[in-house]
Amino acid sequence: MADGIRLNKYLSEAGVCSRRAADTHIENGKVTINGETAVMGQKVMPGDVVTFMGRKVQQKDRTVILAYNKPIGLTCTASKADPDNIFDHIDYPIRLQYVGRLDKDSQGLLLLTNDGDLSNAIQKSVNNHEKEYRVRVNREITEDFIRKMSDGVPILDTVTKKCKVRKIDDRSFMIVLTQGLNRQIRRMCDALGYRVVNLKRVRVCNVKLGNMRPGELRELSREEEAELRRIMGM
């Protein structure tokens, strides 16, 4: 990550030794970072070369699940041809994939993982996994609008699944979807004569955006991951 990982933790996760043993090896000068003898408390940054007793240490690809607050203006793609691709703005040492898209003009919670099975389970619409959004539109929201959004809107040659919609104020509402059609909320609003001016995803299943800042990245807690896997039946 951008702040690095403590050297003893890095060695432990790579399977070299325990953290306690790593501290001893570091004190005894058996570990180097980029060719220089490492010191206690030093951090390993992405791209650093770590050696133990002359051998390069390769960190294992452990299973990770991250929560990311995607800012407006970044694209959910891994293509280097797109200068706004999210991965050029996420400094993380393990190759990840995003779970469900957020379009370039939208912001909020995006899950990132290297667990393909978990990613597929979350994205299957048939599983009815919830994703919650806060939406602001360009004009006053009516009860008729809330009812129609809730009951289903004809878009993309289908009718959207029934969903939970709650008015927040004159121009804002919360919506919980269990499907993920392309630009679904924007298309639903357009079909009813409204234009989305701000769209933020605030929850995926049990994982909440909370007070994360735009661009902030964090690992899920053990409790969050355990509950997410339980929901997925994994």
Side-chain angles (χ1 to χ4, degrees):
M1 295 176 68
D3 293 334
I5 179 173
R6 288 180 67 88
L7 181 55
N8 59 357
K9 182 180 179 184
Y10 183 92
L11 293 171
S12 174
E13 291 182 350
V16 172
C17 57
S18 68
R19 291 196 196 188
R20 182 174 296 180
D23 288 339
T24 300
H25 293 314
I26 295 166
E27 284 184 339
N28 291 337
K30 295 181 180 179
V31 184
T32 69
I33 298 179
N34 300 326
E36 303 207 355
T37 302
V39 297
M40 289 288 292
Q42 193 168 352
K43 289 188 175 182
V44 181
M45 307 301 291
D48 283 349
V49 176
V50 179
T51 67
F52 172 63
M53 298 182 67
R55 288 190 174 186
K56 185 177 178 180
V57 176
Q58 298 282 2
Q59 190 175 34
K60 294 178 181 177
D61 274 2
R62 60 192 177 93
T63 298
V64 296
I65 312 169
L66 307 177
Y68 175 56
N69 187 353
K70 187 194 89 68
I72 293 172
L74 297 189
T75 311
C76 286
T77 180
S79 173
K80 292 291 185 180
D82 187 337
D84 297 321
N85 78 81
I86 59 171
F87 294 109
D88 277 355
H89 295 79
I90 297 171
D91 196 2
Y92 200 79
I94 295 175
R95 183 180 178 85
L96 302 166
Q97 64 186 84
Y98 53 85
V99 183
R101 298 175 62 86
L102 275 174
D103 63 54
K104 192 169 186 176
D105 296 327
S106 300
Q107 62 184 313
L109 180 61
L110 187 68
L111 296 185
L112 304 166
T113 186
N114 59 350
D115 187 331
D117 291 337
L118 178 66
S119 175
N120 291 336
I122 295 172
Q123 293 181 83
K124 282 184 180 177
S125 176
V126 69
N127 291 335
N128 292 319
H129 300 313
E130 292 187 345
K131 299 178 181 67
E132 184 174 353
Y133 302 80
R134 179 174 179 133
V135 187
R136 185 163 181 81
V137 291
N138 65 325
R139 62 189 184 88
E140 186 173 347
I141 293 168
T142 64
E143 289 303 317
D144 184 59
F145 171 82
I146 295 295
R147 179 181 57 78
K148 289 178 177 177
M149 288 288 285
S150 302
D151 288 344
V153 180
I155 61 169
L156 299 173
D157 299 321
T158 188
V159 176
T160 60
K161 288 183 179 180
K162 289 187 176 183
C163 60
K164 302 171 188 174
V165 184
R166 176 175 57 85
K167 184 176 178 180
I168 298 173
D169 57 38
D170 286 349
R171 297 193 178 193
S172 301
F173 66 94
M174 299 293 289
I175 182 169
V176 180
L177 299 182
T178 57
Q179 64 184 143
L181 301 177
N182 181 251
R183 296 174 69 87
Q184 180 172 340
I185 296 172
R186 294 180 187 275
R187 291 180 189 274
M188 291 170 73
C189 290
D190 285 345
L192 299 178
Y194 288 74
R195 179 173 56 83
V196 171
V197 297
N198 185 268
L199 191 156
K200 178 190 289 187
R201 185 155 65 201
V202 297
R203 178 172 65 88
V204 176
C205 298
N206 63 301
V207 183
K208 297 179 181 179
L209 180 67
N211 58 2
M212 292 177 67
R213 301 180 305 276
E216 186 176 347
L217 189 71
R218 69 172 178 85
E219 290 193 20
L220 265 60
S221 68
R222 289 183 179 180
E223 292 77 16
E224 282 178 311
E225 180 176 348
E227 177 61 10
L228 182 60
R229 290 188 181 281
R230 187 196 66 77
I231 293 170
M232 297 303 125
M234 301 178 70

